[in-house]
Amino acid sequence: MTQIALVDGSYQARSLIASAQRCVNLYPEVNQLNKTLFYPQQMTNTVITHYLTPGLRQLVKVGTGPIRGLYTASTGLLYCVSGSGLYSLNTSFVATLRGSIPYLTTPVSMADNGATLVLVDGTANGYQVDLTTQAFSAISSPAFYGADRVDFMDTYMVFNKPGTSQFYSTTSNLVAFDPLYFAAKTAKPDWLVAPVVMHDELWLIGEQTTEVWYLSGGTDFPFSKTPGAFMQHGCMAKYSIAVQNLQIFWLSQNAQGERVVLKGEGYNVERISTHAIEADFAKYTVASDAVGFIYQQQGHQFYVLSFPTAKKTWVYDTQTDLWHERTFLQPTGAEDRIRANCSATYAGLNVVGDWQDGRIYALDPDVYTDDGSPIERIRSFPTLQNEMRRTTYVFFIADMEPAGSTDAGPVRPQYQIDAAGNLVLTTVNGNQYATILNQAALNADGSTIAIGLRWSDTGGADWSEIVYQSLGFQGEFQTNVQWSRLGMGRRRVFELRWTAPVKTALNGAYIDVVKASE
């Protein structure tokens, strides 16, 4: 047999003959190459394993939504904006309304200086919360001009002045404003999109260029431009900007073009999007509404970039430099962007807010649904061909962890004969059965949790019907997921799909073929 290794993430090239690989709701992780015990000269031949992306576990529903922002204050409370309400949440996720702002659906930005939290929403208004008394009030200073983003740096809060190249700050340790405390981007006259603090420096990301400032302590204005720290890259989607550790991510544009994802580190800017992803971006009628956030989980750091109008979500893993897709499966079967609209780390959890209503979730790797809705996992394989000769595919065996290998797998159904002599299903994991059945993860008689295989002999232009096989039940540790008699083709692409709410993982596949003589 021949191994089909999976060594990349999502990559659907502009031409399907180049690549038609999708990696949906799965993320690749590079394995350490350990020598085997009995054959030390051999190394494991599985370079990458694909793990399930986390599901959503509802923590609380706050207001009516959407959740426009989440922020963990330095005092230990979580703050969120749901619709027009600003709420604080304790570690039991009990929410308390602190104040009201105008209703919008766009994200908000929050920061605090240890004593006061400040909130801006892209309008001329701003709001503050006393972190000791929780008193809420509007900012009323004539030297406050509103902002799209607020950030904190060395006792100062920094804001952009919307629709200009200017930024301004509070005075030290106070939410007070000096009318002289403002400056403008100087290297180029493009408007300022957002001021972003990273590694104790202030990045001024404009529409087409970016420059870096530092805290100089000047009496007229406390910030000064860093000599030589200038980048010919700006931002086309202000809500796409996300910061983690020593890295900034955003959807860029410059004088030469747009819709490229960049990573800023040090004073360098690096393109991290691929040609295939950029080709997908180019199809979107609107990309300026992109929303980005970063979270860390199980040793990975993910930059999540959603496009509300296009209903797409792309995720970049900084540990592997690979991209994958994430989707939310609508009841109609249509793919949509994921529910998560914003994120925060709180009470030991990765907390995210819903873009449509007031639900707040934990991103939980041990949950295999989106708050009860199925998650469809999709992995397409590299194109197979033998000098364009016809090839007969005898077997396809999925190299994956079966559902029965852990306690998360379903128990085998139990049956009894009713008074009419009919076979009746009595139990499958208690009340979990109805959920599984609704997800079409069982055969009609409830006999198996299923995974589907389909294939294309046109490089991915059209596909066969999906053929299902068992993923196994609890205790069935050696379930071999395989398909046979798969026909003949010159350019074959295989694809696996499953929605079973169970723990599993995918290494790749093995195929057995018969090559034609011609």
Side-chain angles (χ1 to χ4, degrees), residues 142-416:
F144 177 80
Y145 309 105
D148 297 294
R149 184 182 179 99
V150 56
D151 217 330
F152 176 79
M153 178 176 171
D154 289 335
T155 73
Y156 297 89
M157 290 193 184
V158 185
F159 310 80
N160 70 300
K161 185 176 180 181
T164 73
S165 61
Q166 298 178 352
F167 70 104
Y168 62 104
S169 77
T170 62
T171 58
S172 179
N173 285 317
L174 296 172
V175 182
F177 298 88
D178 185 327
L180 298 179
Y181 271 29
F182 75 95
K185 288 174 77 273
T186 58
K188 292 289 183 180
D190 53 317
W191 284 1
L192 175 62
V193 174
V196 182
V197 175
M198 182 184 73
H199 195 219
D200 213 27
E201 292 182 310
L202 182 63
W203 285 49
L204 301 180
I205 302 177
E207 291 183 320
Q208 294 190 356
T209 63
T210 298
E211 58 193 55
V212 181
W213 289 50
Y214 70 99
L215 185 65
S216 60
T219 55
D220 292 335
F221 187 60
F223 297 92
S224 298
K225 188 177 184 296
T226 302
F230 174 76
M231 288 138 273
Q232 291 275 12
H233 301 279
C235 178
M236 67 168 299
K238 58 188 175 184
Y239 301 124
S240 69
I241 300 171
V243 181
Q244 180 71 34
N245 295 332
L246 303 179
Q247 298 173 330
I248 303 177
F249 301 84
W250 73 89
L251 184 64
S252 79
Q253 68 179 2
N254 59 23
Q256 287 71 47
E258 60 178 29
R259 302 192 184 187
V260 174
V261 181
L262 299 179
K263 176 179 71 175
E265 188 171 10
Y267 295 146
N268 298 316
V269 171
E270 174 189 359
R271 167 184 169 267
I272 60 171
S273 52
T274 64
H275 294 301
I277 291 173
E278 290 158 7
D280 199 59
F281 291 168
K283 301 174 186 176
Y284 305 164
T285 57
V286 177
S288 58
D289 60 352
V291 177
F293 65 84
I294 292 175
Y295 78 94
Q296 292 179 324
Q297 194 168 67
Q298 297 186 325
H300 294 257
Q301 176 175 280
F302 299 104
Y303 171 56
V304 182
L305 184 63
S306 290
F307 295 83
T309 300
K311 298 184 178 181
K312 294 277 290 187
T313 298
W314 289 94
V315 180
Y316 175 73
D317 184 349
T318 65
Q319 269 58 49
T320 61
D321 293 326
L322 296 177
W323 288 86
H324 62 273
E325 298 175 67
R326 296 195 190 181
T327 62
F328 174 75
L329 194 63
Q330 294 285 4
T332 60
E335 295 180 3
D336 205 340
R337 62 166 166 148
I338 62 172
R339 307 300 302 182
N341 193 48
C342 51
S343 74
T345 302
Y346 185 63
L349 300 172
N350 291 302
V351 180
V352 295
D354 196 288
W355 59 264
Q356 190 172 39
D357 57 36
R359 285 176 291 177
I360 295 176
Y361 313 96
L363 276 178
D364 193 332
D366 296 321
V367 171
Y368 309 114
T369 67
D370 280 337
D371 195 24
S373 297
I375 301 174
E376 185 172 38
R377 321 286 180 177
I378 303 173
R379 190 56 172 97
S380 307
F381 286 76
T383 302
L384 304 175
Q385 63 184 42
N386 177 36
E387 299 176 342
M388 298 306 294
R389 296 178 178 179
R390 289 182 299 170
T391 300
T392 300
Y393 295 90
V394 182
F395 280 104
F396 179 99
I397 302 176
D399 180 11
M400 64 189 304
E401 178 183 357
S405 64
T406 69
D407 289 339
V411 298
R412 185 170 289 281
Q414 302 299 312
Y415 297 92
Q416 65 182 17

Side-chain angles (χ1 to χ4, degrees), residues 457-491:
D457 290 322
T458 56
D462 53 40
W463 296 85
S464 71
E465 295 294 324
I466 300 176
V467 180
Y468 290 95
Q469 295 289 356
S470 171
L471 265 174
F473 291 94
Q474 281 188 25
E476 298 178 351
F477 303 106
Q478 299 185 38
T479 297
N480 197 356
V481 186
Q482 62 178 279
W483 293 259
S484 61
R485 294 183 293 181
L486 301 174
M488 182 181 294
R490 298 182 189 272
R491 178 182 284 126

